[in-house]
Amino acid sequence: RGGRCLHPPARRVRSWIAAARQASAQGQFQEAERLLSQARSLAPSHPLVVNDMALRMVNAGEPGKALGLLDPVVAAKPADPEVWLTFAVALRQLKRPAEALEALEHMLKLDPRNVKALVEKATAEEELDRPRAAVITYRTLLSIIPPGMKTPQWMDAPLARGRLGMLLPKGDGRL
């Protein structure tokens, strides 16, 4: 009371990150960078700020560096599903699907209908040679996508694998 808050409210950090993503999606890259820079300078250790930096590293093909940033954040068991998803993607890129699957399970407890996480989970299950589990995950994924919905191109291959799994008898684990 009476003192200045050392960290900006989480709501403000979330709004900066969301605004930066929206600006980036609209091609306003300078505005996106300005917003992210503001968030980084005022709350460098906030889980979403760290996640954004780690996601940039993952997208740049540097998953090891991303894990270095995310390890301390994940150790604190954050309630932000995005952190767990970025962590899992980095682990999968490093060919550590079992650990990625563990992170995805945690993430899906926080956001069970997250399409990207379900795709990542099914893929990790395939990498671990768990085809029955992958079929179940693909069935879950397909059950939450409305029929006829236009999906992003990155989902084409996973959805095709999922549809193939739907054609198999329930006891058949082949994909």
Side-chain angles (χ1 to χ4, degrees), residues 60-72:
E62 298 180 10
K65 288 183 180 179
L67 281 185
L69 283 178
L70 289 171
D71 276 335

Side-chain angles (χ1 to χ4, degrees), residues 74-97:
V74 169
K77 301 283 188 226
D80 291 301
E82 295 173 43
V83 172
W84 290 101
L85 182 58
T86 303
F87 189 63
V89 170
L91 287 165
R92 274 204 51 246
Q93 285 185 4
L94 291 169
K95 308 288 188 232
R96 293 163 57 183

Side-chain angles (χ1 to χ4, degrees), residues 119-136:
V119 168
E120 288 290 328
K121 180 182 178 192
T123 304
E125 289 166 336
E126 288 180 278
E127 290 170 352
L128 290 167
D129 198 26
R130 298 179 184 168
R132 288 184 182 164
V135 166
I136 291 167

Side-chain angles (χ1 to χ4, degrees), residues 93-114:
Q93 285 185 4
L94 291 169
K95 308 288 188 232
R96 293 163 57 183
E99 293 169 85
L101 189 57
E102 187 177 319
L104 289 162
E105 292 290 350
H106 191 84
M107 189 277 182
L108 287 165
K109 287 178 188 170
L110 299 169
D111 185 3
R113 298 176 57 87
N114 186 294

